[in-house]
Amino acid sequence: MEEDLTLLTDLYEFAMVDAYLDEGMQDEAVFSLFVRRLPSRRNFLLACGLEEALRYLETLRFTPAALDYLASLGRFSDRLLRYLERFHFSGDVCAVPEGTPVFAEEPLLEVVAPLPEAQLVETYLLNQVHLQTLAASKAVRVTEAAAGRPVMEFGVRRTHGVDAGMKVARAAFIAGVGATSNVRAGRRYGIPVAGTMAHSFVQAHEDELEAFRAFSSRFPETTLLVDTYDTLRGVQHVVRLARELGEAFQVRAVRLDSGDMLALSRATRQMLDEAGLQRVKLIASGNLDEDSIQRLLSQGAPIDSFGVGTSLGVSSDVPCLDMVYKLVAYAGKDRIKLSTSKVLYPGRKQVYRVEEHGVARKDVLARHGEMVPGRPLLRPMMREGKRVAGASPSLVEIQEHTRRELSRLPPEVRRLEPLNPPYRVEASPVVAWTREQLIEAWAATP
Amino acid sequence: MEEDLTLLTDLYEFAMVDAYLDEGMQDEAVFSLFVRRLPSRRNFLLACGLEEALRYLETLRFTPAALDYLASLGRFSDRLLRYLERFHFSGDVCAVPEGTPVFAEEPLLEVVAPLPEAQLVETYLLNQVHLQTLAASKAVRVTEAAAGRPVMEFGVRRTHGVDAGMKVARAAFIAGVGATSNVRAGRRYGIPVAGTMAHSFVQAHEDELEAFRAFSSRFPETTLLVDTYDTLRGVQHVVRLARELGEAFQVRAVRLDSGDMLALSRATRQMLDEAGLQRVKLIASGNLDEDSIQRLLSQGAPIDSFGVGTSLGVSSDVPCLDMVYKLVAYAGKDRIKLSTSKVLYPGRKQVYRVEEHGVARKDVLARHGEMVPGRPLLRPMMREGKRVAGASPSLVEIQEHTRRELSRLPPEVRRLEPLNPPYRVEASPVVAWTREQLIEAWAATP
């Protein structure tokens, strides 16, 4: 773990742990990480980020430098510092595998651990699961819109920093995106890397044809960017280059990056076809998102693949989720929270997906251990601070799991258009009753 | 620099550099980093991220491991790999100081360097300047809305990853936010850290009063979170605790995190005052942004300070900027690009801010070296790959610079409401004429 990632946490986590230790409150707690409600433009979310969460829990240790800083704040007890000095996470984690579709109120993961341990890890778990779930849930919409055509992720220049650039590439790959432009993510995760050329390359040359000639001489099977000055004149230059080179012309694609993409893609296709360049493909990019991709394809735009950058990289229409990490049980007792309009379901849980003929019909939010018909989604991933076998599949296995899980969703859930009423998630009678009991008990206290 | 941050770049940068080397194109290039147009909800942007950009340019080296990975892709020349092996950035940078308000089309920084060097650094410079400018530009709206009341940044749990958690805290501080909950940012940047308690602390106790008693016993001058079950019952518990403790009651504030914040803050203030607890302050948090803060204060909500998390952490209303890094000159010639509706202004530039009685009236986009009345904003920050003296002020100095620069903006520019027409930015006659000439020349080519 990077030296001081240990301090990537909200100050109040340390304060609460300090107080818990003061009171001797080290009994078992259950925290549940879930999204309180779905954004209106998301019919489901794709759970992602577990691998990093488990890595963190396994490796979290407090360095002397981190402890020195905490001590320097002058507000924490020696007891806390001594506790942190020998800290390691000793708890259990159940979670849905990465790439599993989830809905509002459904735990993506649950942490079962002594209260101070479970409390302390809140901030980082949320930070990472939030980011990757956000990105995967956006990316899956883009791949759905592309309807089988390859999608490349080009977002790193506008993702929110380095970590997002990496995790978005990973999450997008899980959601079915085929390649990333981010070289570091390619290396770290083994994701295919892709890229073409930039406008600056064309601009730096005296004219566009010369730029195309130079680039395809160095990279014969490349993609040429045709819109630096005027898209169709750019395509003419590609055609001229093909005539010049004859058999040696190996250019695989042209990239359109601006303008009226429907009209320009049609005209480009026609010009290329008339020049006998049927094998040259069209890549579209430039402020594309799932809506524009779906619209272009429904109008018959002859586009073969898509490069999607910013809208995917920052999940621009939904840049955050109402994701929380809530205490649902402590010391063997269920816990509630009443402050928002959405009242917390208390207790440790399991989510059952009820399927008919291989298609999901509804989910049931049940108590952990409660038997309900359906397929349980939460699995043990960590026991006593160590990952269990099978908790860390490869990225390709996760991508495959995602594809399988998506194929079991009803088609209307996968569509981009908001589903109304939403996919059904119901609380089991036991879960609903438990909540009512706790609310009544609370109301009866002075 | 972290081991492989060198690869945090788009693949095509390497491809273009490979081709440039192939062609011997190593003359001087000028790239300009700017925002093409302002989002409708931003009357100005606060430039931020320069420090990290300079650090990157000074330290960028390619490790053997990174070069091995690039070689393994099987698409790059030995010439490129040898070039990267001995790479160091040798160019110049001019930039506006961090914390300077900027507008559309105005360079935040310009890189002047041999073409391959200037090309290669595009992705990371954009990634970092984009994130911090985005965050500072959001944060300054929040501090403007708070109208002098302290603001704390609580966003790290939902920022897009670790790097964003750090850089948002830094950018927010520059924009006038007083503290962060992010302990790692507190340590790294020397920003004051702040935090209260979470709902889980209250939930873990048998009742709320007991939780308040325990927390304030450990942290007498703390803030108590009162909305876990019911805000006003929570406030009653604070009042009861004050009666119990008498002189020993040192609690400084209560935090309201949900519900009708106007009504609840008024009722809370009244209950506290009636109990003689005038000195206990009110902190508001919970999905606040600049609009809700401004509305609450305009309605007279008796709130003393604000905790702002997600909306600031992800700049939720504007999660990305149309920020680009464009070639404007190469080998002594100006360069244009025509593909979008916004045509690039060619050439190296200077921005002049024209002020009357200390208040900005308009900005002029001039050529570098062109003398125009007004205050030049771009300053030399790096020469031949080394920072110049004064290029790296302290965070407190940047915060001070920001405050000074903001005070010179017209009040209507600082307001949250969209300004129509926007603040005036005009191209100097020379800049406008140069562009026309280049467009005419392009149109006349075959």
Side-chain angles (χ1 to χ4, degrees):
Chain A
M1 169 158 314
E2 295 93 297
E3 201 255 309
D4 60 356
L5 195 51
T6 50
L7 294 182
L8 203 287
T9 190
D10 289 296
L11 184 72
Y12 76 2
E13 313 288 6
F14 291 117
M16 289 188 283
V17 170
D18 200 341
Y20 291 146
L21 296 175
D22 201 43
E23 298 176 77
M25 289 177 67
Q26 301 211 40
D27 287 339
E28 184 181 278
V30 182
F31 278 83
S32 191
L33 191 155
F34 62 99
V35 171
R36 281 193 283 219
R37 69 205 83 192
L38 293 188
S40 62
R41 273 177 58 89
R42 297 288 183 274
N43 293 335
F44 67 98
L45 301 173
L46 210 54
C48 200
L50 177 64
E51 172 64 23
E52 180 60 19
L54 295 176
R55 190 185 76 83
Y56 173 77
L57 293 174
E58 273 188 348
T59 58
L60 179 61
R61 302 287 182 278
F62 291 87
T63 61
L67 296 175
D68 284 350
Y69 174 72
L70 289 176
S72 78
L73 296 175
R75 59 174 101 193
F76 297 123
S77 69
D78 285 346
R79 186 195 285 118
L80 175 71
L81 298 172
R82 285 197 308 272
Y83 173 84
L84 296 178
E85 202 172 0
R86 53 176 198 272
F87 181 91
H88 69 103
F89 180 78
S90 70
D92 299 344
V93 174
C94 282
V96 303
E98 291 190 278
T100 304
V102 293
F103 300 90
E105 306 261 13
E106 298 181 349
L108 281 73
L109 69 85
E110 292 199 329
V111 171
V112 183
L115 179 60
E117 293 179 30
Q119 182 75 65
L120 203 52
V121 300
E122 171 178 29
T123 307
Y124 191 76
L125 293 190
L126 275 174
N127 177 281
Q128 291 292 310
V129 177
H130 176 268
L131 168 61
Q132 293 200 44
T133 299
L134 183 77
S137 304
K138 177 68 173 182
V140 74
R141 289 170 61 85
V142 174
T143 57
E144 291 284 342
R149 287 164 191 78
V151 175
M152 292 166 288
E153 181 268 309
F154 288 167
V156 61
R157 65 186 53 200
R158 297 207 196 94
T159 57
H160 292 186
V162 173
D163 193 25
M166 300 297 288
K167 303 291 168 52
V168 166
R170 180 182 187 273
F173 184 74
I174 285 173
V177 168
T180 180
S181 66
N182 178 346
V183 183
R184 191 177 186 232
R187 181 181 172 215
R188 171 84 59 93
Y189 300 121
I191 301 172
V193 286
T196 63
M197 68 199 300
H199 297 115
S200 56
F201 189 85
V202 175
Q203 292 175 273
H205 288 77
E206 287 312 303
D207 66 60
E208 191 175 51
L209 180 56
E210 189 194 312
F212 288 173
R213 206 180 276 130
F215 203 71
S216 64
S217 150
R218 176 65 201 85
F219 300 103
E221 302 184 348
T222 194
T223 295
L224 296 173
L225 175 63
V226 293
D227 77 325
T228 302
Y229 303 113
D230 176 280
T231 299
L232 298 185
R233 282 176 72 168
V235 177
Q236 282 170 1
H237 288 147
V238 175
V239 171
R240 278 176 62 182
L241 183 64
R243 292 210 186 104
E244 268 180 38
L245 295 180
E247 291 290 300
F249 181 84
Q250 300 289 327
V251 169
R252 286 207 178 150
V254 296
R255 176 160 74 100
L256 284 64
D257 192 51
S258 59
D260 176 345
M261 204 59 83
L262 177 62
L264 289 172
S265 65
R266 283 182 171 152
T268 298
R269 184 72 272 157
Q270 191 180 345
M271 286 168 68
L272 292 172
D273 288 353
E274 284 172 7
L277 297 174
Q278 287 83 356
R279 69 181 186 283
V280 175
K281 293 186 184 275
L282 263 64
I283 302 176
S285 63
N287 291 320
L288 294 178
D289 61 14
E290 67 269 38
D291 299 318
S292 52
I293 289 172
Q294 178 171 276
R295 197 162 50 240
L296 283 166
L297 293 179
S298 74
Q299 292 169 330
I303 296 168
D304 301 292
S305 67
F306 296 93
V308 183
T310 307
S311 74
L312 198 170
V314 306
S315 187
S316 54
D317 61 331
V318 175
C320 53
L321 300 171
D322 189 15
M323 185 181 278
V324 293
Y325 178 83
K326 288 292 171 193
L327 183 74
V328 293
Y330 176 61
K333 282 193 186 171
D334 292 341
R335 305 284 162 163
I336 50 166
K337 173 177 171 287
L338 307 172
S339 48
T340 60
S341 56
K342 298 287 263 188
V343 175
L344 182 67
Y345 284 113
R348 195 174 165 189
K349 295 183 195 67
Q350 176 58 279
V351 179
Y352 289 91
R353 185 147 295 162
V354 180
E355 294 169 328
E356 284 170 19
H357 310 297
V359 177
R361 288 296 162 221
K362 66 173 182 181
D363 287 3
V364 179
L365 210 54
R367 281 189 80 83
H368 178 77
E370 183 185 357
M371 295 308 281
V372 166
R375 184 162 62 96
L377 299 185
L378 288 157
R379 300 182 197 165
M381 296 291 182
M382 179 172 270
R383 281 211 188 89
E384 296 181 5
K386 298 263 172 271
R387 255 177 265 217
V388 302
S392 290
S394 74
L395 216 50
V396 169
E397 287 168 337
I398 299 172
Q399 204 185 40
E400 188 45 51
H401 170 79
T402 307
R403 199 177 296 132
R404 216 165 35 237
E405 290 284 328
L406 289 173
S407 73
R408 297 165 89 155
L409 288 182
E412 65 273 18
V413 172
R414 294 176 68 172
R415 277 202 277 271
L416 303 186
E417 294 71 30
L419 187 62
N420 197 357
Y423 178 83
R424 210 162 122 213
V425 178
E426 57 184 42
S428 77
V430 179
V431 165
W433 180 84
T434 310
R435 183 164 79 171
E436 290 317 306
Q437 292 298 105
L438 282 173
I439 294 173
E440 277 176 33
W442 174 82
T445 58
Chain B
M1 167 159 314
E2 295 94 298
E3 201 254 310
D4 60 355
L5 193 50
T6 51
L7 294 182
L8 203 289
T9 189
D10 290 296
L11 184 72
Y12 76 2
E13 314 288 7
F14 291 117
M16 290 187 283
V17 170
D18 201 341
Y20 292 146
L21 297 175
D22 202 40
E23 298 176 76
M25 290 176 67
Q26 300 211 42
D27 287 339
E28 185 181 277
V30 183
F31 279 83
S32 190
L33 192 155
F34 62 100
V35 171
R36 279 193 284 218
R37 68 206 83 191
L38 292 187
S40 61
R41 275 177 55 89
R42 297 290 181 275
N43 293 334
F44 67 98
L45 301 173
L46 210 54
C48 199
L50 176 65
E51 173 65 24
E52 179 60 19
L54 296 176
R55 191 185 75 84
Y56 173 76
L57 293 174
E58 273 188 347
T59 58
L60 178 62
R61 302 287 182 277
F62 290 87
T63 61
L67 295 175
D68 285 350
Y69 173 73
L70 289 177
S72 78
L73 296 175
R75 61 173 98 192
F76 297 123
S77 69
D78 284 346
R79 187 194 286 116
L80 176 71
L81 298 172
R82 284 196 309 273
Y83 173 83
L84 296 177
E85 203 173 359
R86 54 175 197 273
F87 181 91
H88 69 103
F89 179 78
S90 70
D92 299 345
V93 174
C94 282
V96 305
E98 293 190 277
T100 304
V102 293
F103 300 89
E105 306 263 13
E106 298 181 349
L108 280 73
L109 68 85
E110 291 198 328
V111 171
V112 183
L115 179 59
E117 293 179 31
Q119 182 74 66
L120 203 53
V121 301
E122 172 178 29
T123 307
Y124 190 76
L125 293 190
L126 275 174
N127 177 281
Q128 292 291 310
V129 177
H130 176 267
L131 168 61
Q132 293 201 44
T133 299
L134 183 77
S137 304
K138 177 70 172 181
V140 74
R141 291 170 60 87
V142 174
T143 55
E144 290 285 340
R149 287 164 188 78
V151 176
M152 292 165 288
E153 182 268 310
F154 288 167
V156 62
R157 65 185 53 199
R158 297 206 196 94
T159 57
H160 292 187
V162 172
D163 193 26
M166 300 296 287
K167 303 291 168 54
V168 166
R170 180 183 186 273
F173 185 75
I174 285 173
V177 168
T180 181
S181 66
N182 178 347
V183 182
R184 191 176 185 236
R187 181 180 172 217
R188 172 83 60 92
Y189 301 121
I191 301 171
V193 287
T196 60
M197 66 198 301
H199 297 114
S200 56
F201 189 86
V202 174
Q203 291 175 271
H205 288 78
E206 287 312 303
D207 66 60
E208 191 175 51
L209 180 56
E210 190 194 311
F212 288 173
R213 205 180 277 129
F215 203 71
S216 64
S217 151
R218 176 64 199 85
F219 300 104
E221 301 183 350
T222 193
T223 295
L224 297 172
L225 175 64
V226 293
D227 77 325
T228 302
Y229 304 113
D230 176 281
T231 299
L232 298 184
R233 281 175 72 169
V235 177
Q236 281 170 3
H237 289 145
V238 174
V239 170
R240 278 174 61 183
L241 183 65
R243 292 209 186 102
E244 269 181 36
L245 295 179
E247 290 290 299
F249 181 84
Q250 300 290 327
V251 168
R252 287 209 179 149
V254 297
R255 176 159 75 100
L256 285 63
D257 193 50
S258 60
D260 176 346
M261 204 59 81
L262 177 62
L264 290 173
S265 64
R266 283 182 172 151
T268 299
R269 184 72 272 157
Q270 191 180 347
M271 286 167 69
L272 291 172
D273 288 352
E274 284 172 7
L277 298 174
Q278 286 84 354
R279 71 180 184 282
V280 175
K281 293 189 184 275
L282 263 63
I283 301 177
S285 62
N287 291 319
L288 295 178
D289 62 13
E290 67 269 38
D291 299 318
S292 52
I293 290 172
Q294 179 171 277
R295 199 163 47 241
L296 283 166
L297 293 180
S298 73
Q299 292 167 330
I303 297 169
D304 301 292
S305 67
F306 296 93
V308 183
T310 306
S311 73
L312 197 169
V314 307
S315 187
S316 54
D317 59 334
V318 175
C320 52
L321 300 171
D322 188 14
M323 185 181 280
V324 292
Y325 178 83
K326 289 292 172 194
L327 183 74
V328 292
Y330 176 63
K333 283 192 185 170
D334 291 343
R335 306 284 162 162
I336 50 165
K337 174 179 171 284
L338 307 172
S339 49
T340 60
S341 57
K342 296 288 260 188
V343 175
L344 182 66
Y345 283 112
R348 195 174 166 191
K349 298 187 192 64
Q350 177 58 281
V351 179
Y352 289 91
R353 185 147 295 162
V354 180
E355 294 168 328
E356 284 170 21
H357 310 295
V359 177
R361 287 298 161 219
K362 66 173 181 181
D363 286 4
V364 179
L365 211 52
R367 280 189 80 84
H368 178 78
E370 184 185 355
M371 295 308 281
V372 167
R375 185 161 62 96
L377 299 185
L378 288 156
R379 298 182 199 168
M381 295 291 183
M382 178 172 272
R383 282 212 187 88
E384 297 182 6
K386 299 263 171 271
R387 255 176 267 217
V388 302
S392 291
S394 74
L395 217 50
V396 169
E397 286 167 337
I398 299 172
Q399 203 185 41
E400 187 46 49
H401 170 79
T402 306
R403 197 176 298 131
R404 214 163 39 234
E405 290 285 328
L406 289 173
S407 75
R408 298 164 88 154
L409 288 181
E412 64 275 17
V413 172
R414 296 176 66 171
R415 277 201 277 271
L416 304 186
E417 295 71 30
L419 187 61
N420 199 353
Y423 178 81
R424 208 162 123 213
V425 178
E426 56 185 42
S428 76
V430 178
V431 164
W433 181 85
T434 309
R435 183 164 79 171
E436 290 317 307
Q437 292 297 104
L438 282 172
I439 294 173
E440 277 176 34
W442 175 82
T445 59

